[in-house]
Amino acid sequence: MFLPSAAGKTTDPGRRPLVSAFDLFAFVLVFGLFALFTQGTQQTLIPIADMEQVPISLSPWALPEYALRTTLRMLAAIIASLIFTFAYGALAAKSRRAEMVLIPVLDILQSVPVLGFLSFTVLFFMNLFPGQVIGVEMAAVFAIFTSQAWNMTFSFYQSLKTLPRDLEEVSRSFRLTGWQRFWRLEVPFSMPGLVWNTMMSMSGGWFFVVASEAISVGNTTITLPGIGAYVSTAIAEKDLVAVGWSVLAMLVIILIYDQLLFRPLVAWADRFRFEQSAGAPPPRSWVLDLVKRAHLFRLVLSPLGSLFRGAARMPLRSPVPVPHHVSRAWASRPMDGVWTAMVIGVALYGLWLIVSFVATEVGWREVLNVVWLGFLTLIRVAVLIALASLVWVPVGVWIGLRPKVANALQPVAQFLAAFPANIVFPFAVVMIVRFGLDPNVWLSPLMILGTQWYILFNVIAGASAFPNDMKEAASSFHLKGAQWWFKVILPGVFPYYVTGALTASGGSWNASIVAEVASWGNTTLRAEGLGSYIAEATTAADFPRITLGIAIMSLYVMAFNRTLWRPLFTFASKRLRLD
């Protein structure tokens, strides 16, 4: 049926206009973001000398530009972290021999403090682009990457190791190649947990923004414009008003990228939940709703979407088929022995190099003292992880089982996770000095401020992904109270909790280098521990002692993980899979 228009012509009421208001808004949003990207990156190509002529300003009007620069660094780091996660996590999960090497290496990498990476990498990146800001920018992005990548990789690895066997059988029945299986089964199955861990990584990166933007290694000191440098300057000048402005700017940034990035991702990832019955109403995102209504915008982007879908469906295989007898020999026990011997040989050679380098400056008495300092930090980490678990596991379960609550509290959780402990340091220093408290005790909670959220975010992800049919079964059997906790929900979220606690433990070791040395103006407090030892060595550019501190920290982390977290992870992957 046609209706007469005001001009006397007939119009079809079902016909959509060529360009709708939703299309205009979508294009404005995309091109606005592109303009901001261009504005933020053009300063990376100038000489370092030109940048150093403009000191960090504590005026609040400088914060929008600083916020843009910091956000672009963090987004670049998160993209690099995602690429690293897919490659490293898949290789560790699919190859037993690679797993023997890659997972211990990942334990070491997550325990190495960001300042430890900066100590050895800032000069490398600066030499790639001599005299240019882009070299320092790459060093800062790499430092933020090292605070983001590890928990994402552990999350992806945990998802692949706990993939339900019936889904694996379905992929084999459809004769999917390894490439197709990766993009059509493994990546979608990992999405709910990976999105929440990506959110945590983005927020956790704020904790080390100060260290990555105010780079100081020995006589080399370069300050990059950004919120981290703004906070560092405000603390040095005891300007609490400027600290407050930086917190407000962080809140605004988190709200923006929550609405434009993570809320759409959470809503999109909900479609990949492993369900065998009808679930709760899915989370909503106004950005996704806008894109669905922006028909011209979707039409313009459809070739790009078709390209990605086509690439994921390509039946890629090895160009040279491996003969059966070769693959059988490669998987044999003698080859396992050869591989193990090679790994041990490389590890012993690396240990010899470290010992030879450290021995040029450090004696055995100091080595034993550093081992003792590591033990003190270990006690702090263990106690803080236990306390954080008691608090955040019940809270995470409560939030994750209520999609509306999770949707409402998502930006709040991101802000709390992003809140840098560095901003709390001035208040902690003032309180400890005023009341005569022991820094060895009262600086310890600063270690967990930025890392406790790994536990919360992973438990929320586990509870959000908990199958609805399991909830219905528990309800039909009238499981309540302690029985429901110990028989239903804790086993359901346990793989996610282990991933969160593992990364929180490694992150606490990492944070110790910042938390065991707190400053406010000219007042500096130190807690006795391995973190403060590494911090002092880094300030002095004492590379043998930096190497010794990082090596001892890595040994503690590996021993702790192998003794506690790895057995728990193996138990979760074998006994608590959704099969």
Side-chain angles (χ1 to χ4, degrees), residues 6 35 85 419 479 488 495:
T85 292
F419 194 86
L479 296 177
V488 181

Side-chain angles (χ1 to χ4, degrees), residues 307-387:
L307 178 64
F308 283 117
R309 285 192 295 271
R313 293 172 180 171
M314 291 177 64
L316 297 180
R317 291 183 175 86
S318 174
V320 180
V322 180
H324 179 68
H325 66 279
V326 174
S327 61
R328 194 172 175 185
W330 175 254
S332 63
R333 287 187 176 275
M335 282 302 299
D336 283 347
V338 172
W339 177 259
T340 303
M342 289 175 58
V343 170
I344 293 174
V346 171
L348 290 176
Y349 178 68
L351 180 62
W352 177 79
L353 289 177
I354 292 173
V355 170
S356 300
F357 180 63
V358 171
T360 59
E361 295 280 343
V362 182
W364 283 108
R365 185 183 298 274
E366 184 172 349
V367 172
L368 293 176
N369 181 57
V370 174
V371 171
W372 167 249
L373 295 176
F375 179 74
L376 294 177
T377 302
L378 171 66
I379 296 299
R380 293 189 182 105
V381 170
V383 171
L384 292 170
I385 292 296
L387 293 176

Side-chain angles (χ1 to χ4, degrees), residues 6 40 101 116 302 328 350 386 401 469 562:
V101 178
S302 60
R328 194 172 175 185
L401 293 179
D469 49 335
R562 290 292 162 182

Side-chain angles (χ1 to χ4, degrees), residues 100-393:
M100 292 171 56
V101 178
L102 295 182
I103 296 304
V105 169
L106 197 60
D107 290 338
I108 295 173
L109 289 174
Q110 72 159 341
S111 67
V112 176
V114 169
L115 287 182
F117 285 109
L118 279 174
S119 303
F120 294 100
T121 58
V122 62
L123 296 179
F124 168 77
F125 284 111
M126 289 179 65
N127 288 332
L128 287 180
F129 301 92
Q132 299 295 313
V133 173
I134 188 172
V136 188
E137 291 279 1
M138 291 178 67
V141 169
F142 181 78
I144 298 172
F145 163 85
T146 62
S147 68
Q148 294 178 338
W150 320 135
N151 72 298
M152 293 171 60
T153 305
F154 273 122
S155 172
F156 188 60
Y157 169 78
Q158 171 255 321
S159 297
L160 297 188
K161 297 295 283 188
T162 57
L163 191 70
R165 291 187 180 89
D166 50 352
L167 294 182
E168 294 178 344
E169 292 171 0
V170 169
S171 70
R172 284 193 291 268
S173 68
F174 280 105
R175 300 183 182 276
L176 298 181
T177 65
W179 175 262
Q180 291 172 322
R181 171 190 162 105
F182 181 77
W183 290 111
R184 303 186 69 180
L185 172 60
E186 293 167 350
V187 171
F189 179 77
S190 71
M191 271 298 123
L194 186 58
V195 167
W196 278 94
N197 272 280
T198 304
M199 204 184 305
M200 176 62 226
S201 290
M202 189 72 173
S203 298
W206 285 99
F207 187 86
F208 294 103
V209 159
V210 174
S212 63
E213 291 182 350
I215 300 174
S216 180
V217 180
N219 296 324
T220 304
T221 302
I222 298 176
T223 302
L224 289 170
I227 288 187
Y230 186 95
V231 170
S232 178
T233 304
I235 291 175
E237 297 186 9
K238 294 186 176 183
D239 192 337
L240 287 176
V241 174
V243 171
W245 280 115
S246 66
V247 173
L248 179 61
M250 283 175 48
L251 176 60
V252 172
I253 295 169
I254 290 168
L255 289 174
I256 290 173
Y257 69 61
D258 171 71
Q259 293 296 318
L260 298 184
L261 178 62
F262 287 121
R263 197 171 292 268
L265 282 176
V266 170
W268 172 76
D270 188 73
R271 68 176 67 185
F272 301 119
R273 287 179 58 184
F274 181 63
E275 291 281 13
Q276 295 177 341
S277 63
R284 299 286 300 273
S285 165
W286 65 269
V287 173
L288 279 185
D289 293 340
L290 183 148
V291 171
K292 290 176 183 177
R293 297 181 181 183
H295 304 290
L296 180 61
F297 182 76
R298 293 177 64 187
L299 182 64
V300 171
L301 294 183
S302 60
L304 188 61
S306 300
L307 178 64
F308 283 117
R309 285 192 295 271
R313 293 172 180 171
M314 291 177 64
L316 297 180
R317 291 183 175 86
S318 174
V320 180
V322 180
H324 179 68
H325 66 279
V326 174
S327 61
R328 194 172 175 185
W330 175 254
S332 63
R333 287 187 176 275
M335 282 302 299
D336 283 347
V338 172
W339 177 259
T340 303
M342 289 175 58
V343 170
I344 293 174
V346 171
L348 290 176
Y349 178 68
L351 180 62
W352 177 79
L353 289 177
I354 292 173
V355 170
S356 300
F357 180 63
V358 171
T360 59
E361 295 280 343
V362 182
W364 283 108
R365 185 183 298 274
E366 184 172 349
V367 172
L368 293 176
N369 181 57
V370 174
V371 171
W372 167 249
L373 295 176
F375 179 74
L376 294 177
T377 302
L378 171 66
I379 296 299
R380 293 189 182 105
V381 170
V383 171
L384 292 170
I385 292 296
L387 293 176
S389 300
L390 290 174
V391 173
W392 294 116
V393 169

Side-chain angles (χ1 to χ4, degrees), residues 433-510:
V433 171
R434 179 166 184 175
F435 293 99
L437 303 176
D438 185 358
N440 290 308
V441 175
W442 294 100
L443 285 180
S444 299
L446 300 178
M447 293 169 55
I448 201 70
L449 281 180
T451 58
Q452 60 186 330
W453 312 110
Y454 290 112
I455 296 175
L456 176 63
F457 276 64
N458 275 277
V459 173
I460 291 175
S464 299
F466 193 71
N468 195 59
D469 49 335
M470 297 290 288
K471 301 176 195 175
E472 294 173 354
S475 178
S476 65
F477 282 107
H478 302 289
L479 296 177
K480 297 180 180 179
Q483 274 192 320
W484 180 82
W485 277 98
F486 288 101
K487 298 292 185 181
V488 181
I489 196 63
L490 287 182
V493 302
F494 190 73
Y496 294 86
Y497 164 74
V498 172
T499 301
L502 176 66
T503 50
S505 174
S508 296
W509 283 96
N510 200 323

